């Protein structure tokens, strides 16, 4: 008998307590009063056995809040004790870490707050991250599985793991805490960020790319984006293992670099253009003098004969800016065997194409585009940004004669990054730059149960015209690379 029916027996029609006896299943009669007592005892026992989730949650919230308050007090006291030592360049990183740890232990002991060993360790770790590291995102930067950290605002942090984006429970205490981390990052590479210069590109010590933007441009508060780079540069064998490249593609690309082909790597944002550029540059002979030109140094070339150049923004007076275009022009006087431009996104594309056409063969660069055909159109647009009043046909002739190969990389919807096209730039037909695919990605293979693409890059069977140059230079290449025999003439 349920509780409502039992209570019904305990009340008569007039609403007064009383009523008939209740006969339990064992046949014994029990009075209404004793039954009510049993019901009350049962309810009390049920209440006692139910976890007090609300109160426990409140208690946990109070505990977490108390720990946060303690963290703020300790951090403030620590900053007071450290003074200017944190920004003192005469103290090396190791000494600074040890000094901060020693001072932090003293401050925590002086607070005389009872903490469990785990709470104490967590408190010390978080404060060290705030003072010397990157606050609550430090653990994501230390995680090798995470490739991108995106801070939309101080209380909204996302990360990318294995090509998928997740929202995290991490958060900065406020906008000021996030702003301190941004300023710490940009100051280490000689950049600045303030209301007069509210956006900046920078890098971390490991080469990871950083973009930061603050109010008034960022309406919801400071925003920070960090694209992490692997601690070890990816090799061509790793890309083959990941399925980004096929062995045949790798053999062709190696031969193209050795034959001093001018190569453009195209792709969208976050597709892995810089990683592929690193792999291509690994094929450059060690004796060649390489000059790299970047907005923020990201390339991880393994050769020794390398000169690395980095552009510089204007100072607070608006002077002293050195652009990518300035560096490309200057590099021509540095006796380079190879010029590697991290990315062309403006008028420097004209200077790069002219360098490719005037004896600096074997140059490599990247460009944002959605396909090889779009890459050609994009280069045309970028040349126009140089401010030269050139006819479109002249620009296309520059592109057609300078660029030999376009390698297009795509980030597929399953999160993987694949080289989907290796395309030869053959020349001009009328007013059109003619392209010929040597490899294309096979989308017709479909996807597996997990949504991962089953296809792979396949040769089109067409032999590029520039392969004749391989034979002239004595660069071996397997006939199987193009999916057909290359003996006797061009297909």
């Amino acid at each position: 008998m349920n509780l409502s029916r039992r209570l019904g027996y305990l009340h008569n029609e007039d609403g007064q307590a009383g009523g008939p006896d209740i006969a339990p299943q064992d046949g014994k009669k029990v009075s209404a009063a004793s039954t009510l007592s049993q019901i009350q005892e049962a309810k009390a026992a049920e209440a006692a056995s139910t976890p007090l989730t609300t109160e426990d949650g409140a208690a946990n919230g109070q505990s977490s809040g108390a720990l946060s308050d303690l963290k703020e007090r300790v951090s403030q006291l620590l900053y007071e004790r450290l003074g200017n030592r944190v920004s003192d360049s005469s103290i090396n990183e190791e000494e600074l870490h040890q000094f901060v740890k020693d001072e932090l232990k003293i401050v925590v002991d002086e607070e005389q707050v009872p903490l469990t060993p785990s709470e104490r360790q967590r408190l010390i770790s978080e404060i060290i991250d705030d003072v010397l590291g990157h606050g609550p995102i430090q653990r994501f930067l230390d995680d090798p599985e995470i490739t991108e950290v995106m801070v939309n605002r101080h209380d909204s942090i996302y990360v990318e793991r294995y090509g998928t984006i997740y929202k995290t429970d991490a958060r900065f205490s406020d906008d000021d805490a996030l702003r301190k981390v941004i300023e710490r990052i940009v100051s280490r590479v000689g950049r600045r960020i303030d209301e007069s210069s509210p956006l900046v590109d920078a890098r971390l010590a490991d080469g990871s790319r950083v973009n930061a933007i603050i109010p008034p441009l960022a309406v919801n508060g400071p925003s920070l984006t960090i694209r992490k780079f692997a601690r070890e540069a990816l090799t061509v064998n790793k890309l083959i293992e990941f399925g980004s490249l096929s062995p045949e593609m790798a053999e062709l690309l190696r031969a193209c670099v050795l034959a001093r082909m001018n190569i453009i790597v195209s792709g969208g944002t976050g597709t892995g253009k810089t990683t592929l550029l690193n792999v291509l540059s690994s094929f450059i002979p060690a004796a060649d003098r390489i000059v790299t030109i970047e907005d923020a140094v990201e390339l991880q070339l393994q050769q020794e004969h390398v000169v690395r150049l980095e552009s510089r923004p204007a100072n607070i007076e608006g002077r002293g800016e050195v652009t990518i275009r300035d560096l490309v022009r200057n590099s021509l006087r540095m006796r380079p065997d190879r010029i590697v431009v991290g990315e062309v996104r403006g008028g420097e594309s004209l200077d790069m194409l002219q360098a490719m056409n005037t004896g600096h063969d074997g140059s490599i660069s990247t460009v944002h585009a959605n396909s090889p055909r779009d890459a050609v159109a994009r280069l045309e647009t970028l040349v126009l940004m140089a401010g030269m009043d050139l006819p479109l046909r002249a620009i296309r002739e520059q592109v057609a004669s300078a660029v030999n190969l376009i390698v297009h990389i795509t980030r597929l919807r399953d999160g993987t990054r694949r080289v989907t096209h290796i395309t030869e730039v053959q020349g001009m037909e009328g007013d059109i730059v003619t392209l010929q695919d040597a490899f294309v990605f096979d989308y017709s293979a479909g996807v597996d149960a997990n949504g991962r693409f089953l296809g792979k890059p396949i040769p089109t069977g067409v032999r590029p015209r520039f392969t004749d140059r391989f034979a002239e230079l004595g660069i071996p290449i397997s006939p199987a690379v193009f999916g057909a025999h290359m003996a006797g003439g061009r297909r």
Side-chain angles (χ1 to χ4, degrees):
M1 184 177 293
N2 61 30
L3 183 60
S4 60
R5 291 186 63 187
R6 290 195 180 194
L7 290 175
Y9 278 108
L10 297 177
H11 294 272
N12 56 23
E13 293 180 356
D14 295 331
Q16 295 177 350
D21 292 338
I22 300 172
Q25 293 179 356
D26 59 5
K28 295 181 180 178
K29 288 191 177 184
V30 183
S31 68
S34 65
T35 304
L36 181 59
S37 175
Q38 289 175 354
I39 293 172
Q40 290 172 338
E41 289 175 3
K43 289 175 68 177
E46 182 181 358
S49 64
T50 303
L52 300 176
T53 54
T54 304
E55 294 180 9
D56 287 350
N60 290 336
Q62 291 172 358
S63 174
S64 177
L67 199 61
S68 297
D69 292 341
L70 176 62
K71 176 184 168 184
E72 289 184 13
R73 291 201 309 274
V74 171
S75 297
Q76 186 61 38
L77 291 170
L78 181 62
Y79 274 114
E80 292 174 2
R81 294 177 72 99
L82 292 176
N84 295 326
R85 288 185 178 88
V86 175
S87 56
D88 189 350
S89 58
S90 64
I91 304 176
N92 65 44
E93 202 74 16
E94 204 170 303
E95 290 176 352
L96 183 60
H97 271 76
Q98 190 57 50
F99 181 77
V100 169
K101 286 180 182 178
D102 294 341
E103 290 296 313
L104 181 55
K105 288 178 182 177
I106 295 172
V107 172
V108 172
D109 290 339
E110 287 177 351
E111 282 293 303
Q112 295 183 349
V113 176
L115 297 171
T116 65
S118 62
E119 288 174 337
R120 184 184 179 90
Q121 183 59 39
R122 174 187 161 195
L123 178 67
I124 291 175
S125 176
E126 289 183 359
I127 293 176
I128 288 178
D129 285 346
D130 286 345
V131 175
L132 298 176
H134 304 95
I137 63 172
Q138 183 64 49
R139 57 191 169 107
F140 304 133
L141 299 177
D142 294 336
D143 188 341
E145 296 180 352
I146 291 176
T147 53
E148 193 134 11
V149 180
M150 296 156 279
V151 184
N152 296 343
R153 54 179 187 269
H154 76 273
D155 58 350
S156 177
I157 300 175
Y158 289 78
V159 298
E160 180 188 58
R161 180 184 278 112
Y162 297 126
T164 304
I165 295 175
Y166 304 91
K167 184 174 183 180
T168 71
D169 58 355
R171 54 179 294 161
F172 288 87
S173 57
D174 52 31
D175 285 347
D176 288 340
L178 174 54
R179 181 79 174 264
K180 281 182 182 177
V181 169
I182 292 173
E183 290 173 349
R184 190 178 304 131
I185 291 172
V186 301
S187 64
R188 287 175 179 172
V189 291
R191 304 287 174 97
R192 64 184 179 86
I193 188 166
D194 51 39
E195 282 69 18
S196 62
S197 178
L199 57 88
V200 68
D201 286 316
R203 67 180 186 275
L204 300 181
D206 63 358
S208 297
R209 183 190 306 170
V210 177
N211 176 270
I213 184 166
I214 62 172
L217 300 187
V219 178
N220 293 331
S223 176
L224 177 66
T225 308
I226 301 176
R227 179 169 299 164
K228 290 174 56 184
F229 284 176
R231 289 181 172 85
E232 296 181 4
L234 289 178
T235 62
V236 65
N237 291 331
K238 280 289 185 183
L239 291 188
I240 293 172
E241 182 183 326
F242 294 154
S244 299
L245 277 176
S246 68
E248 293 79 15
M249 277 181 161
E251 184 176 350
L252 175 61
L253 292 176
R254 177 181 175 277
C256 288
V257 173
L258 292 176
R260 302 181 69 87
M261 301 281 110
N262 293 321
I263 302 173
I264 295 292
V265 177
S266 67
T269 300
T271 53
K273 297 187 297 298
T274 304
T275 299
L276 185 57
L277 190 61
N278 271 322
V279 170
L280 292 177
S281 65
S282 69
F283 298 137
I284 298 175
D288 285 3
R289 177 177 172 86
I290 307 169
V291 178
T292 68
I293 301 169
E294 302 172 81
D295 256 341
V297 173
E298 299 170 359
L299 294 173
Q300 298 170 297
L301 272 63
Q302 304 304 307
Q303 292 89 339
E304 292 185 8
H305 200 6
V306 178
V307 179
R308 307 171 78 190
L309 306 180
E310 184 179 43
S311 65
R312 186 179 70 184
N315 61 19
I316 196 167
E317 290 86 16
R319 300 176 182 175
E321 181 182 16
V322 180
T323 65
I324 293 286
R325 190 173 188 185
D326 296 330
L327 294 177
V328 172
R329 289 175 176 173
N330 183 77
S331 69
L332 303 180
R333 306 183 187 97
M334 299 175 67
R335 201 261 178 221
D337 291 307
R338 313 271 185 154
I339 299 174
V340 179
V341 182
E343 182 185 341
V344 289
R345 56 168 70 93
E348 66 272 6
S349 58
L350 175 59
D351 299 280
M352 186 193 68
L353 292 175
Q354 288 179 327
M356 290 177 173
N357 274 323
T358 54
H360 295 90
D361 294 333
S363 298
I364 312 173
S365 185
T366 72
V367 66
H368 276 79
N370 294 324
S371 69
R373 175 60 63 186
D374 284 347
V376 173
R378 173 105 168 115
L379 285 173
E380 295 171 5
T381 304
L382 294 177
V383 169
L384 292 172
M385 292 173 65
M388 306 291 288
D389 190 16
L390 296 173
L392 190 57
R393 181 175 175 84
I395 296 173
R396 288 178 177 172
E397 286 177 347
Q398 283 274 328
V399 173
S401 61
V403 180
N404 302 116
L405 194 70
I406 298 174
V407 184
H408 186 73
I409 187 167
T410 303
R411 179 177 174 177
L412 304 181
R413 65 172 181 268
D414 61 1
T416 59
R417 297 166 172 88
R418 312 281 187 94
V419 175
T420 55
H421 295 79
I422 292 184
T423 303
E424 177 190 15
V425 181
Q426 293 186 323
M428 294 279 292
E429 284 188 7
D431 290 335
I432 305 299
V433 178
T434 57
L435 306 178
Q436 177 62 58
D437 293 330
F439 283 85
V440 294
F441 187 81
D442 179 20
Y443 288 97
S444 63
V447 297
D448 62 14
N450 297 319
R452 185 181 176 88
F453 280 86
L454 296 171
K456 61 180 182 179
I458 57 175
T460 60
V462 177
R463 175 189 174 189
R465 296 176 182 176
F466 56 67
T467 54
D468 292 338
R469 189 171 175 180
F470 298 163
E472 295 170 4
L473 298 173
I475 298 171
I477 186 167
S478 170
V481 166
F482 303 105
H485 261 325
M486 290 170 32
R490 183 180 295 118
R491 289 191 56 178

